[in-house]
Amino acid sequence: VGIIADNRAEWAITAFAAYGLGARFVPMYEKELRHVWRHIIQDSGIRVLFAANDQVRRAVEGFRTEVPALEHLLFIDGPSGPAAGKGSMAALEKRGASRPVPAVRPAPQDAAALIYTSGTTGSPKGVVLTHGNFTSNILAGFKRYPHLNAGDRSLSILPWAHSFGQTAELYLFAMLGGSIAFIGGTATIASDMALARPTFLFGVPRVFNRIYNALWQEVHRRGGLARRLFTMGVAAAETRRRLAAKGAAPPLWTRTKLMVAERLVFRKIRRKLGGRLHGAISGSATMNVEIGHFFADIGIPVYDCYGLTETSPAVTMNGPSANRPGSVGRPLDKVRVVIDRDFGSDAAADGEIIVYGPNVMKGYHNLPEATAAAFTSDGGLRTGDRGRLDPDGYLFITGRIKEQYKLDNGKYVFPAAIEEEIKLLPWVLNAMIYGEGRPCNVCLMAGDASVYRAWRLRQTGAPGSRALPPELTPESAARAVAGFLHGKFGDYEIPRHLILLDEDFSLENGMLTQTMKLKRRAVLDRYRERIEAAYEG
C-alpha cells in the first residue's frame, strides 16, 4: 500500500490500516519528481496507491502503463458526492464500514514499511523496516524522554515519509496519546507555533538556525534597551555555564542579570513560540554548539540525536538526564555502536560507525548485493558515517566517509562541517565546499543580498554611519566567510575562492533531497564550468 501525500490525518489512517492488515506501507513525498514516484511504485510492487489529490492522481495515471502491478489508484482530496465514484478514500472508508475486516497481529520480524532513501548518489533504495524495528526504536527513545505524556503536543515540521518524523513523532505520540498539529507551510511556522502551542518539537538544525537568526535580527532591528537586555542575558547565561563547568556558582550580579533577562526577554521569546515549549530533538546533522547553548539558556533545550533510515532511525540520543553538547548522545537501549578505524583515513581516534541492535533494517528491497555490502560479517550495519566515542560513551560525528576527500597536499577535508558553519551566517542561504584533488577548497554559495547589507551595516557601526556597506559580491562574501571560519578550521580547509550563485539549492532544481541534504553530484554537474574557471583564475 503506497501513499503520495504530505503529513495529514489521512496519512496516519492509511499507515495504521495497512499495518493492521499485514500489508507493507510505502510512503512518498508529495513534492517529488515524477520519475522517482515511478521508480518507487515499480520497485516496491505497490498494488493500492493513495494520492493526496486529483493532480497527483492524474500524474500517476500518466505512467500507469509502466507500473502494471498497480491495481487501485485512489485520491484523498478531490471531487465529492457522486463525482467521486469509487476513486476516493471517502468512498473506500464508507465501503469498509459496511464490510469490516478482522485486524492482523504482526510478528516483530514481519516487514512493516518500505522507506526509500533520498537517493543522493543514485536511485533511491527501499529500506525494509519491520514492526520490531519501529517498536524497539519507539520504546528506546521513550526511555530517554520519560516525562513525555498524553498532554504533550508536537508541531509537525518533518515529513513522515522520512523515518525520523515517522517514528519519533507520529508513532511515539500515538503511543503516548499525545496530539500533533500540522504546519501550514515553512513560511508560517512562527504563527503556527503561536496557534498550536506545542510542548515539544522534532526538527533539523536548519529549523533551529532560522529561529536563532530571526531572533537576533529582530533584536538588532529593535535596538536600544531591548538589544541591551537581550545581549546582557545571553552573556550572563554564558558566564553561568562557564562557571558551572568548573563546579562554581555564579555571583549575585550574574544571577540578577539572568533574573531580569528571564522576566523581560526570555519569557517573551517563549511566549512567541507558543509559551509551552519545554524541549526539542534535532537530527540529520549535529547542531552548532553555540546555538544549542542559546536555546538551553532561554529555557528550550534542544537535544541532538543520530540515526539513519536503515536504523529506524535512531541510534544515539541526548536527553534531559544525559546531554553532552557537540555530541549526538549515547546509544539507545539494546543498541551497540562500534567504531571501525580501518576505513582509509589518517585519523587515529575515529572511524566508520557500525551499529548493532533491534533497530537495524532487514535489508534493501530487491537488492541482495547492496544488502550484503551494508553489513559486516557479524551483522553490524555499516553506516558510512565517520565518528568517535568518548570515554563516557557519547558519540561525536566527524564526517561522512563517502563525502571526504583529499586536497592535492594529502590533507583530508570533510566538507559538511564547514558548510554547516558557513550557513550560520544569517545572509547565507546555502553553501557547498569542493576541492577534491585540488590545491585549495572553493565554496559555491547562495546568499541573500538584503540580509547581507543589514549584516554589514551592523559591522560598520550605527545606522547613522556614513560608511555604506558594500554590496554582496564574490570578493566581499569570500572575505566575510574566511573571517568567520578563521580559528574554527585549519587554513587549508577555508575556501580560497567563492562562487556566488543566482539561486538557492532546492528540491525544485534538483540540488537537495527531500530531507534537505545536498545532492553533491547534481551541484557539481550543473556548476562544473564555473568551478573550473575559479581554479583557472
Side-chain angles (χ1 to χ4, degrees):
V1 177
I3 188 169
I4 300 175
D6 292 335
N7 299 4
R8 53 189 299 164
E10 291 86 355
W11 198 106
I13 291 166
T14 305
F16 289 122
Y19 296 147
L21 294 176
R24 294 187 181 191
F25 187 60
V26 188
M28 287 167 275
Y29 300 98
E30 191 172 330
K31 294 178 181 177
E32 185 59 277
L33 302 174
R34 293 185 183 186
H35 75 268
V36 175
W37 288 343
R38 183 174 66 246
H39 168 77
I40 293 174
I41 294 169
Q42 190 171 47
D43 184 70
S44 62
I46 288 173
R47 294 172 59 191
V48 181
L49 177 64
F50 291 87
N53 48 52
D54 201 46
Q55 182 180 356
V56 175
R57 185 192 63 81
R58 288 197 304 270
V60 175
E61 286 284 12
F63 57 78
R64 192 164 182 179
T65 56
E66 302 173 51
V67 286
L70 182 59
E71 298 175 15
H72 307 282
L73 177 56
L74 304 105
F75 57 83
I76 299 170
D77 293 335
S80 58
K86 297 180 180 180
S88 71
M89 182 173 177
L92 184 65
E93 286 181 308
K94 185 177 180 181
R95 181 182 173 193
S98 64
R99 297 172 58 187
V101 177
V104 172
R105 179 177 288 274
Q109 68 271 18
D110 289 345
L114 276 174
I115 301 181
Y116 279 76
T117 59
S118 50
T120 56
T121 57
S123 296
K125 298 191 291 288
V127 177
V128 181
L129 296 178
T130 66
H131 289 274
N133 289 154
F134 282 133
T135 306
S136 71
N137 218 227
I138 297 163
L139 295 175
F142 181 53
K143 286 185 177 182
R144 290 290 160 91
Y145 296 87
H147 62 283
L148 293 175
N149 56 56
D152 278 294
R153 176 179 299 157
S154 70
L155 179 66
S156 192
I157 299 171
L158 300 176
W160 291 345
H162 187 265
S163 58
F164 183 17
Q166 187 178 144
T167 305
E169 182 175 62
L170 175 59
Y171 300 155
L172 174 61
F173 271 59
M175 182 189 80
L176 297 172
S179 56
I180 299 173
F182 299 112
I183 60 169
T186 54
T188 63
I189 288 177
S191 58
D192 291 340
M193 288 187 73
L195 180 65
R197 303 184 66 223
T199 62
F200 204 79
L201 283 184
F202 300 88
V204 294
R206 173 176 283 201
V207 172
F208 302 106
N209 292 351
R210 284 180 175 175
I211 296 173
Y212 174 83
N213 286 331
L215 287 172
W216 274 106
Q217 286 179 40
E218 174 66 13
V219 165
H220 284 296
R221 185 190 66 79
R222 294 181 65 183
L225 180 62
R227 180 166 62 183
R228 288 197 295 272
L229 286 171
F230 186 83
T231 54
M232 177 194 74
V234 171
E238 184 179 345
T239 300
R240 177 180 59 183
R241 195 185 323 113
R242 188 174 63 250
L243 291 172
K246 298 177 181 178
L252 176 61
W253 183 232
T254 299
R255 295 199 304 272
T256 302
K257 288 179 178 179
L258 284 169
M259 183 179 67
V260 172
E262 166 62 25
R263 290 182 178 178
L264 300 181
V265 182
F266 297 163
R267 191 178 295 173
K268 290 181 180 178
I269 292 173
R270 293 197 300 272
R271 234 180 252 135
K272 284 188 175 182
L273 300 176
R276 301 199 306 159
L277 197 58
H278 59 72
I281 295 179
S282 175
S284 179
T286 307
M287 173 171 282
N288 176 273
V289 174
E290 178 187 335
I291 294 179
H293 284 320
F294 170 82
F295 279 103
D297 291 341
I298 66 172
I300 307 171
V302 180
Y303 303 102
D304 273 307
C305 66
Y306 165 73
L308 51 162
T309 302
E310 290 86 343
T311 54
S312 311
V315 174
T316 62
M317 195 177 288
N318 279 305
S321 62
N323 181 37
R324 185 153 295 175
S327 81
V328 289
R330 289 169 168 165
L332 294 178
D333 184 40
K334 298 182 174 61
V335 175
R336 183 165 63 97
V337 170
V338 173
I339 304 298
D340 179 6
R341 293 184 175 85
D342 185 23
F343 73 111
S345 170
D346 54 5
D350 58 4
E352 184 175 11
I353 300 167
I354 311 295
V355 180
Y356 301 81
N359 58 330
V360 174
M361 69 171 182
K362 204 168 186 177
Y364 294 116
H365 181 63
N366 287 339
L367 295 171
E369 292 182 3
T371 299
F375 287 92
T376 61
S377 58
D378 62 348
L381 178 76
R382 293 193 172 278
T383 65
D385 291 319
R386 177 176 173 250
R388 64 179 176 84
L389 289 166
D390 74 5
D392 297 319
Y394 287 91
L395 179 66
F396 290 77
I397 306 299
T398 54
R400 177 77 180 158
I401 291 173
K402 290 182 180 179
E403 292 176 357
Q404 73 173 6
Y405 60 79
K406 280 184 178 181
L407 297 171
D408 68 0
N409 62 7
K411 290 185 179 292
Y412 275 96
V413 172
F414 295 87
I418 307 171
E419 291 157 1
E420 287 301 316
E421 193 69 28
I422 291 173
K423 286 188 286 186
L424 291 178
L425 286 163
W427 45 272
V428 176
L429 300 174
N430 239 313
M432 191 186 96
I433 297 292
Y434 173 78
E436 185 171 5
R438 306 290 190 144
C440 63
N441 284 328
V442 299
C443 176
L444 295 94
M445 193 194 82
D448 187 321
S450 62
V451 177
Y452 174 80
R453 188 173 178 84
W455 178 81
R456 281 296 300 155
L457 188 60
R458 293 200 299 272
Q459 309 301 308
T460 57
S465 172
R466 293 182 180 180
L468 292 175
E471 296 300 325
L472 180 61
T473 65
E475 292 75 24
S476 64
R479 286 194 296 271
V481 167
F484 187 66
L485 297 180
H486 181 70
K488 301 174 183 176
F489 295 90
D491 288 345
Y492 68 92
E493 295 174 288
I494 296 174
R496 296 289 183 246
H497 303 281
L498 192 140
I499 301 168
L500 198 57
L501 306 179
D502 296 328
E503 63 173 335
D504 192 6
F505 304 140
S506 67
L507 295 171
E508 289 73 22
N509 61 24
M511 303 294 149
L512 294 181
T513 70
Q514 292 286 349
T515 52
M516 300 296 112
K517 293 179 181 177
L518 270 174
K519 290 187 175 181
R520 297 181 184 275
R521 186 183 301 172
V523 175
L524 286 174
D525 288 345
R526 180 163 181 172
Y527 295 109
R528 193 172 299 279
E529 289 185 7
R530 294 187 65 180
I531 292 170
E532 294 300 332
Y535 280 112
E536 289 172 7

